[in-house]
Amino acid sequence: LGWKLFWYLTDDAFIAFRYVSNSILGYGYVWNPPPFKPVEGYTSFLWVLVLDVVWRIFGVMPPDSANWISLGFSYLTLALSMIMFYRFDWNPRLKKFRIWFLILFLGAVLANRTFLAWTSSGLETAMFNFFLIYWVYSSFCLNPASRNWMWSISVSTSLVYLTRPDGLLFSAAT
């Protein structure tokens, strides 16, 4: 309901859409096709790649698929947040109330106008948020002595960076 209420496509999303369109036409990820020199101007390589793959496999153009993909990543963010919530080391006195805390947490997130607005927009924000929460999960919820930790932290760091350049900060933190 909140996704529909705040649904929109921002004008910046059409930058990525243009790169995807030129790729579909066989020119690669360029702003203008030849005879112009190739120009790379997108900042979210993984988002452009996801939109391109969805168009090629399912035939759904980016303006029609971007917000649905963002909604999917928003659901994944909520699911991973709930997993993290349950993995907290709860005080025994509070543990019996954790379902109520979870309901309160979900209510706060789902009533947050910013979260709801970025579940659409056509931008990579929801994907970046999911990979960032995945990085937090990998960093703080997995045992650093396990093989899963090294694999998970490496994958999450790579994905957050490939989604947006500011993800490089998380590579440095890792």
Side-chain angles (χ1 to χ4, degrees):
L1 183 64
W3 175 74
K4 281 189 164 208
L5 180 66
F6 291 101
W7 190 99
Y8 75 106
L9 278 175
T10 184
D11 56 346
D12 284 356
F14 286 87
I15 296 169
F17 299 170
R18 181 175 178 135
Y19 281 95
V20 173
S21 176
N22 281 330
S23 174
I24 293 289
L25 294 171
Y27 301 116
Y29 296 136
V30 297
W31 181 250
N32 288 322
F36 300 99
K37 293 187 183 238
V39 174
E40 180 186 319
Y42 52 84
T43 56
S44 52
F45 172 73
L46 194 56
W47 183 243
V48 169
L49 188 64
V50 166
L51 293 173
D52 193 353
V53 167
V54 167
W55 193 355
R56 288 177 193 275
I57 293 175
F58 300 106
V60 182
M61 297 185 335
D64 298 326
S65 67
N67 282 345
W68 287 99
I69 296 167
S70 290
L71 181 63
F73 276 108
S74 297
Y75 279 131
L76 290 172
T77 301
L78 288 173
L80 189 54
S81 297
M82 288 172 28
I83 290 169
M84 290 171 53
F85 197 86
Y86 264 91
R87 292 190 64 150
F88 285 154
D89 188 18
W90 288 88
N91 179 309
R93 290 187 342 203
L94 295 177
K95 194 170 188 172
K96 60 185 171 188
F97 299 110
R98 98 177 140 178
I99 189 70
W100 295 108
F101 288 125
L102 178 63
I103 290 168
L104 238 136
F105 166 75
L106 288 175
V109 171
L110 293 174
N112 183 298
R113 184 182 182 127
T114 304
F115 178 81
L116 294 173
W118 291 112
T119 59
S120 68
S121 82
L123 293 175
E124 74 285 348
T125 308
M127 186 169 79
F128 182 79
N129 288 341
F130 170 69
F131 292 141
L132 183 57
I133 294 297
Y134 175 39
W135 179 83
V136 169
Y137 172 80
S138 301
S139 299
F140 299 105
C141 295
L142 296 179
N143 181 357
S146 72
R147 285 189 199 177
N148 288 342
W149 178 82
M150 183 58 76
W151 179 85
S152 189
I153 197 85
S154 299
V155 169
S156 63
T157 302
S158 299
L159 291 172
V160 78
Y161 171 63
L162 287 171
T163 302
R164 286 209 312 231
D166 43 336
L168 190 57
L169 295 171
F170 298 93
S171 293
T174 301

